[in-house]
Amino acid sequence: MSQQIKGRGRARGRAGPRPEEVTSGASSVQAPAPIAAAYPAPPPGLSVQAGVAAPSGVHAAECSGAAQQAGDPGQLSERMARLRVGGEASGERGGLQRKLLRFQMANVRPEGAAGKKGSSGAPVQVMTNFVRINTEDKWCAYQLAADFRPMLGAKPLREKLLNDAQQVPKPFVYDGGCLYTKQPLAPAEGVKFAASIKSWSGEVAIRQVGVIEKNTPQWLHLMNVVLGKTQSHLNMQMVGRNFYYPDQATKLPQHRMEVWPGFEMAIKPSDGPLMLHVDVSHKIIHMSTVLDVMYDMYNRNPGNFQAAATDALVGQIVLTRHNNKTYRIDAIEWDKRVTETFPRYNKSTRQSEEISLAQYFAQTYNVNLSDSGQPLLMSKPRKRDLPPTKGGRREQAENVLLPPEVCFMTGLTDEMRADRNLMKDLATFTRIDPSTRCGKLVKFASKMAQNRECQRVLGEFGLAVAPNAVEATARQLAPETVQMSKPIRVDSERADWDNALKGNGMFQPVNCKNWIFVYSQRDEQAAADFCQKLSRASQSLGMSFGEPYVLAVAQDRDQLWVKTIEENIDQGLDLVFCLLPSNKKQRYDSIKRLCYVNKPVPSQCVLTKTIRNPAKVMSVATKVALQISCKLGGVAWAVSIPMKRTMIVGMDTYHDKRQSVSVQGIVFSLNETFTQYYSYSPIVKGGKAELHNRLEVGFNLALQKFREKNGDLPTRIILYRDGVGDSMLEEVKNSELLQLKQSLSKIYGERMSSLGFKAIVVKKLVSSRMFRKQGSQLRNPAPGTVLDDVITMPNFVDFFLVSQYVNQGTVTPTHYNVIEDMNDANIKPDQVQQLTYKLTHLYFNWPGTIRVVAPCHYAHRLAYLVGQNLMEEPSPQICDRLFFL
């Protein structure tokens, strides 16, 4: 996994640190029957090896039925034959249509949208992480298809054969399925010729598919194929989609890791000229193999080994160094060994013969596996990794088998992220300031522009790299005034008001009168001290706490905690406060499920270690008091948003792939300051039909609440939709939003024609960057910086917004894309940008601006709480408050 220390891909459950609440620990898994170990550390998973007793009473589901089949050599051989060995050369990317999805320019521009540029704010000159690509004026290229009969599996062999063939126009580039040339094929109807290479002999058929035009997905795909071909001349290796310098790796022996420097790059469509996007990337590679990790886990906990290993390893990304490929672990095949055989075609004898995995790796990669008892890792190949076949793509992929001994862990686990020393050491290499980051990408572009071989490859297709970063003019919006008990002018550079919390009361405080304080008996003194601190801190916020009913739990057992709370919840209770001695996920889940599902009442959990530091305890108490007041219906602060009868909706999704369910977190604003919300979080187990039905129910409930509170339905609805990738934009616009508008038409009836509806997709995982020019230095843009041209996308009404202050490393802007604008919603692009920035001020867990609009982050926290902790939908009685803070 390429690491820029920004999480694994789209990690839905990663809500960020919450010092007041208990963060989730590792999931508890029911342990299988213990292995009676005759040796201190038998090979992992070797439940049938001599010297190790087989596990008794293992549930069939744990091994997916493999245990019942392991004793049948015929069945096992048949199943092995259906599996593909890791590292087989036939796994090249193929299928042009799948590749073109990366460059498909979705047309989601709302009908009648006049423009997307705003005008408010002061102009700011910024550098970007884009480099201009110059092209010939009269550029032309041709796409050819090459069929090998019989199929020649290895791409390098296919490419060499085509390069040696006189019938193929030169120069060309080959992506594994298609050829791209500057010259047309002669004759145009195609050519066929006999050929042979190594042990393969057969016929090659070449035919011309068509002419490639500029600004099409095919054109962008070709540009990136040519770009990728140049990187081998810069001593870079492709891992995943990015390129790295393994020979420049920085070793961290104290953590048994190494960091590979590199770049992620792609030629992307934009509103400006043709540009190459370049960003610094780092790949974190562990020096420990998966087998080392499994041994370590077994030695620490042999009785629960298989369940613990499955829970820890499934879903992780590993690297096989013999071919520099990455794989996702989808399962552990506990009943398979490297000694198992499978049929393989021998090119010398031209016959099928049985070969073991150990023999395969020794013969093919000169890798001698030392542990014959290790189980195998199974990886399901991605669609884009399937080899091309005549007539289209294979519908079903063969799974990949990998010995743990050849797989190296990549990325960071939650446990590693909690290691401050590790993160500090990694940050030395990965957290790069704007000047250094921009300097690295300019140096890389210059190196590419000056390298003769790179010049030749690019020049053959009429391309040249300009070794300078593209500049643009952004705008910095005016700083906001935050309303608490009195107005606070926000600093334009830092955009926070943490210090103002102590001397200013909340905008609309709510008192906590009737509450219970539950703590472990051994923490009695700490509980008493914190109660006093909480009372003092609340006074500065303009709220108050009544005397709590204290409950000491004699024994630190989960059931006793839950029973103590349940017996003391009554009708008029305002809050359940728990001072927890440890961060046990099962206990936290049980308390939250009791308070939010079974007996709805707001709850607050704080770890004892959080309040141990005397220097920080008052700051913790202030933030806890503020959070409690908001959970009871209070408003911490507000900003001026002059919009009447408007509902802001935030939507995000939590995916639980293991349970094959999703939680749709949705919050709906109920008041004119957009500070009070109604929440709805359906757990969706079916497909799109169930999701659409649940969305309709949620909007019905929320609009009814809005009408009860305001006397009428909103005349404008603005939806901020998070959790949508570029490839899903058209589906969301043409399916989800279409169904949603049909549901709204049922509610509004004839008034639907006057309803303004705007949908904005929020995208956090972007690699576009901005660097503010300040004299000869480059710095992070200040909060409120908007860029709505040059690096924005064609066919989009989009803009990039930097809304948060970052003092270490390089800030990442958030990408906002308006994909629906029914009846114009009476607000223009400039107003959308200002509204979006204002909404980043209204997340009550942090006294400052955040990276996304507050409704989206509320929806994220809601979906995560329901999917990760509650596993049930919350009671409607509590959904009109921010209970999920």
Side-chain angles (χ1 to χ4, degrees), residues 456-475:
R456 178 186 62 80
V457 174
L458 292 169
E460 288 175 349
F461 280 83
L463 304 175
V465 175
N468 303 103
V470 172
E471 296 188 28
T473 301
R475 293 173 290 107

Side-chain angles (χ1 to χ4, degrees), residues 860-881:
H860 171 76
R861 292 295 297 266
L862 170 67
Y864 179 68
L865 175 71
V866 174
Q868 186 67 254
N869 305 116
L870 302 185
M871 281 77 78
E872 295 182 56
E873 296 179 21
S875 169
Q877 298 179 38
I878 203 169
C879 288
D880 58 351
R881 284 168 282 181

Side-chain angles (χ1 to χ4, degrees), residues 647 668 670 678-680 694-708 747 876:
M647 173 185 278
F668 308 83
L670 297 177
Y678 176 79
S679 60
Y680 181 67
R694 301 302 298 276
L695 287 178
E696 181 174 346
V697 172
F699 271 80
N700 269 314
L701 292 171
L703 289 169
Q704 181 180 344
K705 288 284 184 181
F706 188 96
R707 180 156 45 190
E708 291 173 0
I747 302 171

